[in-house]
Amino acid sequence: IDISKIYFIIIILVSWLLKISIDNINIFIDGKIVYGSRFIKYISPLIIASSVFIFIYFANLNIKNNFIIKFIKLSVPTYFGIYIIHLHPIIWNKYIKNCAVSFVQSNCIVMIMKIFLTAILIYITLSFIDYLRLKLFDYLSVNNQIKNFCNKIEVILQSKI
Protein backbone atom coordinates (compact mmCIF):
# COMPACT_ATOMS: atom_id res chain seq x y z
CA ILE A 1 0.00 0.00 0.00
CA ASP A 2 1.24 3.46 -0.90
CA ILE A 3 2.38 5.55 2.11
CA SER A 4 0.80 8.71 0.62
CA LYS A 5 -2.60 6.97 0.71
CA ILE A 6 -2.10 6.18 4.41
CA TYR A 7 -1.09 9.79 5.16
CA PHE A 8 -4.14 11.03 3.24
CA ILE A 9 -6.48 8.83 5.26
CA ILE A 10 -4.81 9.78 8.57
CA ILE A 11 -5.02 13.51 7.82
CA ILE A 12 -8.69 13.29 6.80
CA LEU A 13 -9.50 11.32 9.96
CA VAL A 14 -7.59 13.82 12.13
CA SER A 15 -9.40 16.72 10.42
CA TRP A 16 -12.83 15.23 11.11
CA LEU A 17 -11.92 14.15 14.65
CA LEU A 18 -10.74 17.69 15.42
CA LYS A 19 -13.93 19.13 13.92
CA ILE A 20 -16.18 16.81 15.90
CA SER A 21 -14.19 17.36 19.12
CA ILE A 22 -14.19 21.16 18.81
CA ASP A 23 -17.91 21.16 17.92
CA ASN A 24 -18.73 19.05 20.99
CA ILE A 25 -16.61 21.26 23.26
CA ASN A 26 -18.34 24.36 21.84
CA ILE A 27 -21.78 22.82 22.35
CA PHE A 28 -20.85 21.94 25.93
CA ILE A 29 -19.45 25.43 26.72
CA ASP A 30 -21.55 27.82 24.59
CA GLY A 31 -24.42 25.66 23.41
CA LYS A 32 -23.55 26.27 19.76
CA ILE A 33 -21.11 25.11 17.08
CA VAL A 34 -18.53 27.78 16.26
CA TYR A 35 -15.01 26.79 15.20
CA GLY A 36 -14.95 23.09 14.28
CA SER A 37 -15.52 23.53 10.54
CA ARG A 38 -12.19 25.35 10.24
CA PHE A 39 -10.50 21.95 10.13
CA ILE A 40 -12.45 20.74 7.07
CA LYS A 41 -12.57 23.89 4.92
CA TYR A 42 -10.61 24.12 1.69
CA ILE A 43 -8.07 26.51 3.18
CA SER A 44 -7.34 24.35 6.21
CA PRO A 45 -3.68 23.29 6.36
CA LEU A 46 -4.83 19.73 7.04
CA ILE A 47 -6.99 19.65 3.91
CA ILE A 48 -4.19 21.19 1.84
CA ALA A 49 -1.78 18.55 3.19
CA SER A 50 -4.25 15.78 2.39
CA SER A 51 -4.56 17.19 -1.13
CA VAL A 52 -0.79 16.96 -1.54
CA PHE A 53 -0.77 13.32 -0.42
CA ILE A 54 -3.68 12.33 -2.64
CA PHE A 55 -1.91 14.09 -5.54
CA ILE A 56 1.26 12.09 -4.85
CA TYR A 57 -0.78 8.89 -4.70
CA PHE A 58 -2.44 9.53 -8.06
CA ALA A 59 0.81 10.75 -9.64
CA ASN A 60 2.35 7.35 -8.85
CA LEU A 61 -0.68 5.38 -10.06
CA ASN A 62 -0.06 3.26 -13.16
CA ILE A 63 -3.17 3.34 -15.38
CA LYS A 64 -3.36 1.03 -18.39
CA ASN A 65 -6.96 1.54 -19.57
CA ASN A 66 -6.94 3.81 -22.68
CA PHE A 67 -10.44 5.17 -22.03
CA ILE A 68 -9.45 6.29 -18.52
CA ILE A 69 -6.21 7.83 -19.83
CA LYS A 70 -8.12 9.79 -22.50
CA PHE A 71 -10.67 10.96 -19.93
CA ILE A 72 -7.91 12.10 -17.58
CA LYS A 73 -6.08 13.97 -20.36
CA LEU A 74 -9.31 15.74 -21.35
CA SER A 75 -10.63 16.57 -17.89
CA VAL A 76 -7.58 17.22 -15.69
CA PRO A 77 -6.62 20.59 -17.23
CA THR A 78 -9.94 22.01 -16.00
CA TYR A 79 -9.75 20.82 -12.37
CA PHE A 80 -7.84 23.77 -10.98
CA GLY A 81 -10.16 26.14 -12.85
CA ILE A 82 -13.18 24.41 -11.34
CA TYR A 83 -11.68 24.87 -7.88
CA ILE A 84 -10.92 28.55 -8.48
CA ILE A 85 -14.29 29.33 -10.09
CA HIS A 86 -16.47 27.62 -7.50
CA LEU A 87 -14.63 29.26 -4.59
CA HIS A 88 -14.94 32.76 -6.04
CA PRO A 89 -17.04 34.72 -3.50
CA ILE A 90 -19.68 35.75 -6.04
CA ILE A 91 -20.12 32.23 -7.45
CA TRP A 92 -19.97 30.60 -4.02
CA ASN A 93 -22.30 33.00 -2.18
CA LYS A 94 -24.84 33.49 -4.96
CA TYR A 95 -25.05 30.05 -6.59
CA ILE A 96 -23.44 27.27 -4.57
CA LYS A 97 -23.42 28.02 -0.82
CA ASN A 98 -27.06 27.21 -0.04
CA CYS A 99 -28.06 25.34 -3.19
CA ALA A 100 -28.68 22.10 -1.29
CA VAL A 101 -30.59 23.49 1.71
CA SER A 102 -33.95 22.41 0.29
CA PHE A 103 -32.66 18.86 -0.20
CA VAL A 104 -33.13 18.20 3.54
CA GLN A 105 -36.89 18.13 3.01
CA SER A 106 -36.55 15.06 0.76
CA ASN A 107 -36.25 11.50 2.00
CA CYS A 108 -32.71 10.23 2.52
CA ILE A 109 -32.26 8.41 -0.80
CA VAL A 110 -33.68 11.31 -2.85
CA MET A 111 -31.54 13.77 -0.88
CA ILE A 112 -28.36 11.79 -1.60
CA MET A 113 -29.29 11.55 -5.29
CA LYS A 114 -29.92 15.31 -5.44
CA ILE A 115 -26.56 16.02 -3.78
CA PHE A 116 -24.69 13.81 -6.27
CA LEU A 117 -26.60 15.22 -9.24
CA THR A 118 -25.91 18.77 -8.06
CA ALA A 119 -22.21 18.01 -7.64
CA ILE A 120 -22.10 16.48 -11.14
CA LEU A 121 -23.97 19.46 -12.60
CA ILE A 122 -21.57 21.90 -10.90
CA TYR A 123 -18.60 19.87 -12.17
CA ILE A 124 -19.88 19.71 -15.76
CA THR A 125 -20.85 23.39 -15.86
CA LEU A 126 -17.57 24.64 -14.42
CA SER A 127 -15.58 22.19 -16.57
CA PHE A 128 -17.24 23.64 -19.64
CA ILE A 129 -16.53 27.20 -18.50
CA ASP A 130 -12.87 26.40 -17.84
CA TYR A 131 -12.63 24.47 -21.13
CA LEU A 132 -13.81 27.64 -22.90
CA ARG A 133 -11.18 29.61 -20.98
CA LEU A 134 -8.48 27.17 -22.09
CA LYS A 135 -9.60 27.47 -25.72
CA LEU A 136 -9.66 31.28 -25.45
CA PHE A 137 -6.14 31.24 -23.98
CA ASP A 138 -4.99 29.02 -26.86
CA TYR A 139 -6.63 31.33 -29.40
CA LEU A 140 -5.03 34.43 -27.83
CA SER A 141 -1.67 32.63 -27.38
CA VAL A 142 -1.63 33.54 -23.72
CA ASN A 143 0.86 30.78 -22.86
CA ASN A 144 3.30 32.06 -25.49
CA GLN A 145 2.89 35.61 -24.25
CA ILE A 146 3.57 34.50 -20.68
CA LYS A 147 6.66 32.58 -21.81
CA ASN A 148 7.92 35.62 -23.72
CA PHE A 149 7.30 37.86 -20.72
CA CYS A 150 9.13 35.43 -18.41
CA ASN A 151 12.04 35.24 -20.85
CA LYS A 152 12.29 39.04 -20.92
CA ILE A 153 12.23 39.18 -17.12
CA GLU A 154 14.92 36.48 -16.99
CA VAL A 155 17.12 38.45 -19.42
CA ILE A 156 16.70 41.58 -17.32
CA LEU A 157 17.54 39.72 -14.11
CA GLN A 158 20.54 38.00 -15.72
CA SER A 159 21.90 41.36 -16.90
CA LYS A 160 21.70 42.72 -13.34
CA ILE A 161 23.82 39.87 -11.96
Side-chain angles (χ1 to χ4, degrees), residues 38 80 97:
R38 291 178 188 220
F80 186 65
K97 185 177 183 180

Side-chain angles (χ1 to χ4, degrees), residues 78 81-82 85-86 91 95-96 117-133:
T78 65
I82 293 169
I85 294 168
H86 99 277
I91 302 297
Y95 299 107
I96 298 176
L117 288 173
T118 301
I120 291 168
L121 181 64
I122 290 170
Y123 169 78
I124 290 170
T125 303
L126 297 182
S127 289
F128 180 71
I129 291 169
D130 199 57
Y131 178 77
L132 291 176
R133 180 201 58 83

Side-chain angles (χ1 to χ4, degrees), residues 18-85:
L18 284 169
K19 182 215 181 317
I20 292 167
S21 300
I22 301 270
D23 285 348
N24 284 324
I25 290 168
N26 284 331
I27 289 171
F28 181 74
I29 294 172
D30 294 333
K32 57 185 175 182
I33 296 174
V34 183
Y35 299 109
S37 64
R38 291 178 188 220
F39 295 103
I40 59 168
K41 288 188 175 184
Y42 283 122
I43 58 172
S44 163
L46 293 170
I47 298 302
I48 293 169
S50 69
S51 299
V52 169
F53 287 118
I54 200 73
F55 172 79
I56 292 168
Y57 172 74
F58 280 107
N60 293 325
L61 203 59
N62 189 9
I63 301 171
K64 296 190 185 336
N65 185 315
N66 284 333
F67 175 77
I68 293 173
I69 292 170
K70 287 178 184 177
F71 176 77
I72 290 170
K73 285 182 178 180
L74 179 68
S75 63
V76 165
T78 65
Y79 288 172
F80 186 65
I82 293 169
Y83 175 77
I84 296 297
I85 294 168

